[in-house]
Amino acid sequence: MNTKFEFKLPGEDRIVYVRPVAAVDLPEEMQSQLGGLETLYAVHNSDGERLALVKDRKLAFVLARQNDFAPVTVH
């Protein structure tokens, strides 16, 4: 009974993280295209790679679910 077992939940790799991003933290060339938005929402995979940047939280969740991901909020 010394066999190692990786306790990974089914679908665990399908989780993405949604977090707010201040417009001032983005490159200037992106800021000029925001049309006055002060906060955007980023969707990241479990490795921290940004997959998407969208205008609001609701859209971030819809985008994730449409691509078979389970979104969770990160503060």
Side-chain angles (χ1 to χ4, degrees):
M1 297 308 263
N2 290 330
T3 305
K4 290 187 178 183
F5 183 79
E6 190 169 328
F7 291 93
K8 194 170 191 179
L9 298 173
E12 186 176 336
D13 55 342
R14 300 301 297 172
I15 294 174
V16 291
Y17 302 91
V18 177
R19 70 175 189 89
V21 176
V24 297
D25 293 338
L26 298 172
E28 288 185 28
E29 60 269 8
M30 288 184 77
Q31 291 181 31
S32 66
Q33 299 174 24
L34 297 180
L37 288 175
E38 294 182 13
T39 304
L40 289 96
Y41 288 82
V43 180
H44 294 266
N45 65 15
S46 60
D47 294 327
E49 178 184 5
R50 184 180 291 168
L51 304 174
L53 190 61
V54 295
K55 69 177 185 172
D56 61 45
R57 183 179 179 276
K58 182 178 178 180
L59 181 58
F61 274 71
V62 168
L63 177 68
R65 289 182 181 125
Q66 284 179 341
N67 287 281
D68 298 322
F69 287 103
V72 295
T73 302
V74 176
H75 299 281

